[in-house]
Amino acid sequence: MNATDPLDSLRGVVGASHVLTGELTAGYVVDWTRRWRGQCAAVVRPADTAEVAAVVRICAGANVAVVTQGGNTGLVGGAVPEAGAIVLSTARLDDVGSVDDLSGQLTAGAGATLAAVQRSARDAGWRYPVDLAARDTATVGGTIATNAGGHHVVRHGMTRRHVVGVEAVLADGSVISHLGGLVKDNTGYDLAGLLCGSEGTLGVVTRARLSLVAAIDDVAVALVAFDSIETAVGAVGRLRRHLPEVEALELVFEDGLVAVGEVLGATPPVLGPAVVLVEAVGGPDPATALGDAVAELDGVIDAAVADDRVRREELWRWRDHHTETIARLGASPPHKLDVTVNIRSLPEFVHRVREVVARDAPEARLWLFGHVGDGNLHVNVTGLPPDDHTVDLAVAELVASLEGSISAEHGIGRAKRHLLGLTRSEAEIRAMRSVKEALDPQGILNPGVLIP
Ligand code: FAD
Ligand code: MLT
Ligand code: ZN
């Protein structure tokens, strides 16, 4: 970028102290896993939608790429800039409006964290059910742009289900805004829905109208150890059928629990070849209902049940700490895959992915965990050179052979662009490319992300 031209214009819009250059950009050019690294001409931090629009217009005029970044917790390198780009940080768009008690909705800035939205909802007697371990850093804009999943998809769906409308800046600097909170509005294409999962390639989300659900008081959590992956997966349907409501169904394995225990300095409450975390709500006494339901399951070798908040959180940390624990293992960052298969194929996938990694990378270690209720497993491999993609490809091919998806919830980003064709047809990719070209003909929004 010519230092005397667009950067000065950007300073004129957002103020000189909100255009960061040189060393000050260091934290914005590497991702959370430290596997994806880039460079940028500057980091720009606009304060409101009008400033975002002006920034995008300046960049479009100078043909400079714009990489939008929220909390930078994405796991596919989608917020990492390529040389010459500017990073548009949403950090200052962090307002959270009050809850509309009639509709159960609130409007939040794209840079507000998930935790801030959850807090506002809770303070008003409601709940924002999108939840993930990165809640304190991941933002509203980032979770929309990745259509984030997380712990409660089995009951509440992914982020898209909770987005009633958005305000966004398009590639030419124009603003679209639909924040009136209309639940029913079939007037043409669902632009908010299209921006969900668009990974910063179609527009910059600046604010969103989000729908909330009723707060819950009585919650019970169990960690249940099974004698095999088959019995663990077999429990999923039965738990959903026998409990009034299931909020979460998560899966971890013995080696992951032991590794988490080493980091936490604690002993796992249960151990077994496959361990399911189940969160139950509803009914007069969810803890008793959960205990009774677990007692009826096949293959249970141990279980721990909790209904008070402190003990529930203690059980949850054995699941939530997997990502951070695995990130600390090995000399180089883990290779992270995020796949779904039909839940019926999950046991087969677990056995076969172990064989694939043992065959293609005998020196590496495989870590599996995920959201068993959604058929979604996180396949992490440590001890591999960062640029060796052999195992990534082999795992993705296995997923494709089982008619699964190579990205369940993290998106495609830079990491999986070359794999998209494994589970999306040529016609689908052509349609995606047409949408991209129509909305961003210059290709300035997140070039190199998503579209192969
Ligand atoms: P960023 O990382 O900043 O950006 C992610 C993508 O969104 C990029 O392509 C970026 O360009 C785009 N983007 C960001 N903001 C905007 C905006 N305002 N407008 C347009 N595009 C934008 N993900 C899950 O789905 N489920 C999980 O359970 C889960 N658990 C996690 C646990 C940990 C410990 C960590 C580190 C990550 C986890 N993630 C999970 C991944 C990550 O938190 C999500 O992808 C999250 O949605 C990213 O939000 P962010 O604000 O950090 O976005
Ligand atoms: C999770 O479910 O914990 C995440 O999606 C993060 C990860 O895959 O590491
Ligand atoms: Zn996940």
Side-chain angles (χ1 to χ4, degrees):
M1 194 186 287
N2 177 345
T4 58
D5 189 21
L7 277 191
D8 280 345
S9 309
L10 292 171
R11 287 188 188 100
V13 169
V14 300
S17 62
H18 293 295
V19 178
L20 314 180
T21 54
E23 282 176 12
L24 294 178
T25 65
Y28 298 84
V29 296
V30 58
D31 79 323
W32 189 90
T33 67
R34 314 215 149 257
R35 183 165 179 212
W36 307 102
R37 288 166 192 277
Q39 290 171 34
C40 68
V43 175
V44 183
R45 301 190 302 201
D48 56 29
T49 303
E51 288 191 8
V52 173
V55 167
V56 172
R57 264 195 304 272
I58 290 166
C59 291
N63 213 21
V64 168
V66 177
V67 176
T68 308
Q69 194 174 101
N72 199 14
T73 65
L75 298 172
V76 289
V80 175
E82 282 176 353
I86 68 125
V87 171
L88 191 161
S89 164
T90 59
R92 294 171 72 207
L93 309 174
D94 62 349
D95 58 299
V96 181
S98 55
V99 173
D100 174 352
D101 207 35
L102 274 184
S103 63
Q105 297 175 359
L106 63 72
T107 300
T113 63
L114 205 48
V117 171
Q118 291 172 343
R119 232 178 354 257
S120 288
R122 199 165 44 239
D123 290 349
W126 291 84
R127 187 162 75 107
Y128 185 54
V130 177
D131 191 30
L132 16 131
R135 61 186 75 78
D136 291 321
T137 315
T139 62
V140 165
T143 51
I144 290 174
T146 57
N147 187 27
H151 299 331
H152 301 307
V153 173
V154 72
R155 181 169 181 215
H156 299 287
M158 299 180 73
T159 299
R160 184 182 280 113
R161 195 193 283 180
H162 305 282
V163 177
V164 183
V166 297
E167 180 176 85
V169 174
L170 301 181
D172 61 357
S174 57
V175 177
I176 56 170
S177 186
H178 223 64
L179 298 173
L182 299 183
V183 175
K184 300 181 99 170
D185 183 7
N186 276 344
T187 49
Y189 299 132
D190 177 7
L191 297 176
L194 182 63
L195 286 168
C196 292
S198 63
E199 302 188 47
T201 62
L202 300 180
V204 182
V205 176
T206 52
R207 289 197 293 164
R209 185 80 178 165
L210 303 171
S211 66
L212 311 174
V213 297
I216 41 176
D217 293 327
D218 295 326
V219 184
V221 174
L223 263 186
V224 188
F226 290 87
D227 58 5
S228 69
I229 181 63
E230 283 77 11
T231 51
V233 170
V236 165
R238 288 174 67 178
L239 286 166
R240 290 181 70 188
R241 213 152 20 92
H242 291 302
L243 288 165
E245 292 286 359
V246 172
E247 278 282 324
L249 271 165
E250 304 282 307
L251 179 66
V252 293
F253 292 86
E254 190 153 273
D255 50 359
L257 287 172
V258 170
V260 169
E262 280 163 15
V263 170
L264 295 178
T267 307
V270 300
L271 281 174
V275 175
V276 171
L277 182 150
V278 48
E279 184 171 277
V281 298
D285 180 2
T288 304
L290 183 52
D292 291 348
V294 169
E296 294 295 313
L297 297 171
D298 296 330
V300 174
I301 55 180
D302 201 359
V305 183
D307 57 0
D308 66 281
R309 193 179 54 79
V310 173
R311 281 171 52 243
R312 286 196 321 257
E313 284 176 4
E314 268 175 27
L315 294 185
W316 260 110
R317 71 186 179 144
W318 292 97
R319 162 62 182 90
D320 262 0
H321 272 268
H322 270 67
T323 306
E324 288 205 43
T325 298
I326 292 162
R328 295 178 186 206
L329 298 168
S332 53
H335 286 230
K336 293 182 82 72
L337 289 127
D338 158 42
V339 309
T340 349
V341 293
N342 187 304
I343 191 157
R344 203 167 285 289
S345 306
L346 209 60
E348 180 186 351
F349 175 75
V350 167
H351 295 304
R352 288 180 61 190
V353 76
R354 286 177 171 150
E355 287 164 14
V356 163
V357 175
R359 181 196 67 205
D360 287 357
E363 71 292 358
R365 281 202 71 174
L366 169 68
W367 307 90
L368 298 173
F369 62 99
H371 314 279
V372 67
D374 317 320
N376 176 191
L377 270 193
H378 297 308
V379 178
N380 286 219
V381 187
T382 54
L384 284 177
D387 296 328
D388 181 348
H389 300 287
T390 320
V391 169
D392 306 54
L393 181 61
V395 173
E397 282 172 348
L398 170 62
V399 171
S401 75
L402 294 171
E403 298 183 354
S405 167
I406 55 137
S407 177
E409 57 175 11
H410 297 163
I412 296 296
R414 297 186 188 287
K416 288 157 198 168
R417 238 175 2 146
H418 60 297
L419 301 175
L420 188 61
L422 283 174
T423 59
R424 289 293 209 158
S425 68
E426 272 178 35
E428 284 176 315
I429 294 173
R430 245 191 338 269
M432 290 188 207
R433 211 184 289 280
S434 303
V435 172
K436 168 71 177 170
E437 283 166 7
L439 289 182
D440 180 17
Q442 269 178 273
I444 63 158
L445 297 180
N446 253 4
V449 166
L450 207 170
I451 308 284

